[in-house]
Amino acid sequence: MLDVIKLLPDSVANQIAAGEVIQRPASAVKELMENSLDAGATQIDLVVKDAGKALIMVVDNGCGMSETDARLCFERHATSKISKAEDLFSIRTMGFRGEALASIAAIAQVELKTRRKEDEVGVKIINEGSVVKEQTLVPMAVGTTFTIKNLFFNVPARRNFLKSPAAEMRHVVEEFTRVTLMNPEVGFTLTSDGKELYHLYPGNLKQRIMGLFGSNYDGKLLPVNQETDRVSIHGYIVKAEFAKKTRGEQYFFVNKRYIKHPYLHHAIENAFMEMIPKDSFPGYFLNIEVDPADIDVNIHPTKTEVNFLDVKLVYAILHAAVRKAIGQNNLSPMIDFDEPTNLGIDFGEVVKSSNPIVQPSIPVDPTYNPFHQKKEFSKSSFGGGYSAGEKKSDPGDWRLLYGERTDESPKDDSQDTSSNTLDKSKYIQLNQSYIITTVKSGLLVIDQHLAHYRILFEKFLKELESDSGHSQQELFPQPFTLNANDASVLREMLPELQRLGFVLEQANATTFMINGTPADLSECTPAELLEKMLDNYKINRTDLQLDRKLCMAKTMASQLSIKAQTPLSELEMQNIADQLFGCSVAEIAPDGKKIYTLLTLEELTQKL
Ligand code: ADP
Ligand code: MG
């Protein structure tokens, strides 16, 4: 029998390898641009024709190559970036496999022109289908220009497989975006069929985002900055209110390398979870810097996948970083509760005198005795974190319009025409479900259930994070019996339940005694609540502490929050409004629903 195994010629091997590295024009764009960055270029210009199918040209002002290197760079495994296996663990460059140029040359007509600064002239090499066709000296500026013509000219199957020029161009722009985003200090241009699509000047990340996505991004971004020993995270997230209905700007990088990592993407989405509507997607531009020894980027030929040594740690830090950014910046659109200006009136005196008759007319009687005896007014800006008892100023002019009954603390009204008109800002309840109040810019309608849901959610989350739950001892401890499976799940939940204020004691394998419950449990029985928590916990069970906490806080909050069709006193309404706007996110409930809406004066004017 004859031997049948043959070694494939290099050109064929390269063509096969090319299939992995170069799937479409955009892949070549990425590889060439990354090479230019690795070469230290400060200006990189990309020119394409027919979405890269006819021509891709990348011009850089990087370090250039010697004549020998210029020939060698088309060889497989020819790389200047690593020389021994250990180097794989300290990779800082974008490339290192030495495959890209060999692959591109195998399936296209390539012209390389390159010159180092120590050389008088540059060298030009033409390589077609892995064969060097020409080599000459050329005068040129320092740097490198790669011109790729007729990609897949010798692989018709691949060429036919390409999508429409519009679709391929979208891929090209996407790769261009990924590369340019993380290198804002480098200038880039992209010209397609003679038209300049992007002209990106050197700058910072924010400027680069604006250069790529439009200058209106200026007001949409929140900075993320988190430094730990092992990981540092920098970049921007898009404010929740600008979340998009389609997966839009989601850019995640590791050591500036664009990465697809569903698990870490989840960390970001999860951090936004209860702040954006269910059908919307958060936007982000985040780079994680880690020691190259802590990751393995070698697992995928196009290097869009990365393995982390400790991915759970990265998940937790990423999640925390995004939440911190959200928390530090109020995601709610500003609603201006008027700040009271000091009119020199002693409210302490005012509230002492009595006048029980409510004045529906203007001006309101300043000697009116309000029900709520509050002498001091707190600042009422959003995110100020005032507590429930504190008073928020509110011009409350609707009351005057409607001639409503008023029965609360007096307010001054800086906008008011007469200084002795004390505004007794009010809250009214509509349909026992909505809290209505006024703000400077109009009428605010708050869904009482969703508002309370948000308030309790943040409270429970804080308790879960800080050990601060309060419990109330049960006079008659109740037994809570489950099946063996559920009992073991409940055991798993015990530390968190304890933080939330439950005091549970295991009586036997399947029964727990409920010795204490969260202090503000009133809407349902402890057993009902525990069952709900258990159910939701099982549905959302993951091995991640963060998810567990979010899930438990959500269940508790949804169970215990005031429902629609519940009458509320004015003080209760006021407390809800106050606490809501002290939340880190006031606009969206943990289930993604909008909590309040503002009917602006402008809208009103249009309607009336
Ligand atoms: P890798 O980037 O993985 O090293 P490539 O096939 O992309 O492999 O490139 C091979 C080598 O060619 C690089 O290691 C580098 O030395 C050289 N090279 C490629 N492009 C450029 C460029 N634009 N400027 C200078 N050197 C380059
Ligand atoms: Mg490369």
Side-chain angles (χ1 to χ4, degrees):
M1 182 120 158
L2 291 169
D3 295 334
V4 288
I5 295 178
K6 296 187 219 55
L7 278 177
L8 291 173
D10 267 1
S11 59
V12 179
N14 285 342
Q15 253 189 40
I16 294 169
E20 279 181 38
V21 186
I22 309 295
Q23 287 118 11
R24 50 173 25 110
S27 329
V29 164
K30 170 183 187 280
E31 296 295 340
L32 294 177
M33 289 178 73
E34 288 186 348
N35 279 347
S36 296
L37 286 169
D38 285 341
T42 57
Q43 179 66 40
I44 300 173
D45 300 302
L46 167 65
V47 178
V48 296
K49 287 202 175 121
D50 193 17
K53 289 192 236 182
L55 174 115
I56 300 168
M57 182 165 83
V58 174
V59 183
D60 73 44
N61 62 355
C63 63
M65 283 180 260
S66 70
E67 203 177 331
T68 317
D69 284 352
R71 266 196 96 108
L72 211 60
C73 73
F74 293 107
E75 297 294 319
R76 225 150 119 67
H77 307 304
T79 178
S80 54
K81 297 164 196 174
I82 56 171
S83 54
K84 49 190 185 307
E86 296 91 86
D87 295 346
L88 276 174
F89 302 101
S90 54
I91 292 164
R92 285 272 173 206
T93 50
M94 302 306 284
F96 57 86
R97 289 168 166 257
E99 266 179 343
L101 293 179
S103 297
I104 293 170
I107 49 164
Q109 296 154 346
V110 181
E111 182 195 283
L112 158 65
K113 288 199 292 181
T114 187
R115 190 194 134 195
R116 300 180 302 175
K117 73 171 180 314
E118 58 264 48
D119 298 328
E120 300 265 291
V121 287
V123 57
K124 175 171 129 183
I125 290 178
I126 293 179
N127 186 322
E128 284 180 16
S130 302
V131 182
V132 176
K133 293 272 159 106
E134 190 188 319
Q135 180 172 345
T136 43
L137 294 178
V138 285
M140 65 177 288
V142 172
T144 302
T145 299
F146 271 100
T147 311
I148 315 290
K149 285 185 194 152
N150 303 319
L151 201 65
F152 302 125
F153 79 102
N154 52 357
V155 204
R158 280 234 159 231
R159 200 176 172 83
N160 297 337
F161 190 70
L162 293 177
K163 302 225 175 77
S164 69
E168 292 301 335
M169 194 56 206
R170 272 199 300 278
H171 285 289
V172 168
V173 170
E174 185 58 25
E175 288 298 351
F176 178 81
T177 304
R178 292 172 186 175
V179 171
T180 55
L181 254 180
M182 280 297 120
N183 296 282
E185 67 290 342
V186 177
F188 292 92
T189 60
L190 166 54
T191 306
S192 167
D193 293 330
K195 199 169 149 232
E196 189 176 84
L197 301 185
Y198 291 93
H199 197 126
L200 304 172
Y201 296 95
N204 58 31
L205 175 58
K206 190 174 198 179
Q207 289 162 332
R208 181 53 48 93
I209 293 171
M210 287 159 63
L212 285 162
F213 300 101
S215 49
N216 60 341
Y217 264 75
D218 195 14
K220 293 185 181 178
L221 301 172
L222 296 178
V224 175
N225 292 300
Q226 183 85 46
E227 302 267 358
T228 71
D229 292 353
R230 301 274 297 280
V231 179
S232 74
I233 300 172
H234 294 284
Y236 291 91
I237 54 175
V238 179
K239 291 180 184 176
E241 68 251 40
F242 300 109
K244 292 194 170 169
K245 293 267 186 260
T246 52
R247 249 173 227 287
E249 287 74 49
Q250 300 192 326
Y251 291 94
F252 179 53
F253 302 83
V254 175
N255 294 350
K256 298 190 174 180
R257 193 186 291 279
Y258 178 84
I259 290 297
K260 289 186 185 126
H261 204 299
Y263 181 71
L264 291 179
H265 167 77
H266 180 259
I268 305 170
E269 289 224 310
N270 203 359
F272 270 100
M273 187 173 71
E274 11 71 50
M275 291 156 209
I276 56 175
K278 267 209 175 68
D279 54 352
S280 301
F281 300 92
Y284 52 83
F285 312 89
L286 294 174
N287 180 43
I288 300 193
E289 286 290 332
V290 289
D291 184 334
D294 285 348
I295 51 170
D296 177 9
V297 288
N298 205 15
I299 52 176
H300 194 272
T302 56
K303 305 181 222 87
T304 52
E305 283 168 29
V306 130
N307 268 346
F308 288 84
L309 273 190
D310 190 350
V311 74
K312 284 193 183 163
L313 176 80
V314 179
Y315 184 106
I317 296 172
L318 185 58
H319 185 278
V322 174
R323 282 199 79 85
K324 191 172 92 182
I326 294 168
Q328 275 173 355
N329 299 270
N330 192 352
L331 291 185
S332 310
M334 281 298 282
I335 293 182
D336 197 358
F337 283 88
D338 275 356
E339 284 198 20
T341 47
N342 187 354
L343 300 176
I345 299 168
D346 179 357
F347 290 102
E349 286 307 311
V350 173
V351 298
K352 268 183 233 148
S353 57
S354 174
N355 182 357
I357 299 160
V358 174
Q359 295 290 331
S361 58
I362 302 172
V364 173
D365 186 343
T367 59
Y368 165 64
N369 180 11
F371 151 74
H372 188 73
Q373 304 239 334
K374 189 75 191 172
K375 296 184 184 178
E376 280 173 21
F377 293 92
S378 70
K379 297 255 178 191
S380 61
S381 54
F382 276 64
Y386 37 74
S387 63
E390 286 178 306
K391 194 69 198 87
K392 179 178 296 181
S393 163
D394 180 347
D397 277 347
W398 60 267
R399 185 178 40 73
L400 304 174
L401 280 171
Y402 290 99
E404 271 289 339
R405 197 182 74 84
T406 61
D407 62 359
E408 263 238 7
S409 60
K411 301 269 180 70
D412 65 350
D413 184 350
S414 51
Q415 299 294 298
D416 219 298
T417 43
S418 98
S419 64
N420 66 352
T421 298
L422 279 182
D423 168 49
K424 303 175 183 78
S425 143
K426 295 304 126 255
Y427 296 86
I428 56 164
Q429 199 184 16
L430 178 67
N431 198 27
Q432 301 193 334
S433 302
Y434 298 99
I435 299 167
I436 300 187
T437 189
T438 54
V439 290
K440 214 177 206 168
S441 47
L443 199 65
L444 190 62
V445 182
I446 304 171
D447 182 310
Q448 67 189 39
H449 162 64
L450 294 177
H452 199 218
Y453 185 9
R454 159 61 64 186
I455 294 163
L456 290 183
F457 171 76
E458 294 205 358
K459 170 178 176 287
F460 292 138
L461 205 59
K462 213 183 268 162
E463 286 179 4
L464 280 169
E465 268 151 17
S466 74
D467 234 342
S468 64
H470 298 293
S471 74
Q472 166 176 289
Q473 195 152 9
E474 290 288 304
L475 279 181
F476 305 102
Q478 302 163 40
F480 182 58
T481 303
L482 312 121
N483 64 38
N485 255 343
D486 285 357
S488 86
V489 177
L490 194 72
R491 255 197 309 282
E492 227 177 274
M493 295 165 67
L494 281 179
E496 279 92 1
L497 287 173
Q498 198 175 345
R499 290 211 184 108
L500 290 167
F502 283 98
V503 184
L504 300 178
E505 188 191 341
Q506 188 148 18
N508 60 43
T510 55
T511 303
F512 293 81
M513 296 309 292
I514 306 176
N515 293 330
T517 55
D520 36 17
L521 199 131
S522 60
E523 295 286 311
C524 53
T525 68
E528 276 169 5
L529 181 58
L530 280 173
E531 258 159 41
K532 251 285 165 326
M533 309 254 320
L534 194 68
D535 280 354
N536 282 352
Y537 182 82
K538 283 193 293 188
I539 297 168
N540 293 298
R541 200 163 165 202
T542 69
D543 51 353
L544 288 158
Q545 292 286 335
L546 290 156
D547 281 320
R548 287 168 57 159
K549 286 180 184 161
L550 282 177
C551 160
M552 291 172 91
K554 260 176 94 168
T555 313
M556 283 269 288
S558 115
Q559 290 299 303
L560 299 182
S561 49
I562 296 166
K563 302 295 177 297
Q565 298 296 328
T566 310
L568 295 177
S569 73
E570 181 147 10
L571 185 61
E572 284 170 326
M573 290 192 270
Q574 182 200 324
N575 281 346
I576 287 178
D578 279 352
Q579 289 180 38
L580 175 65
F581 293 110
C583 283
S584 63
V585 178
E587 204 196 15
I588 308 276
D591 58 5
K593 292 190 184 135
K594 248 185 118 169
I595 297 175
Y596 62 81
T597 182
L598 179 71
L599 184 61
T600 63
L601 289 172
E602 268 164 34
E603 287 164 338
L604 264 177
T605 321
Q606 275 170 14
K607 280 184 198 213
L608 298 173

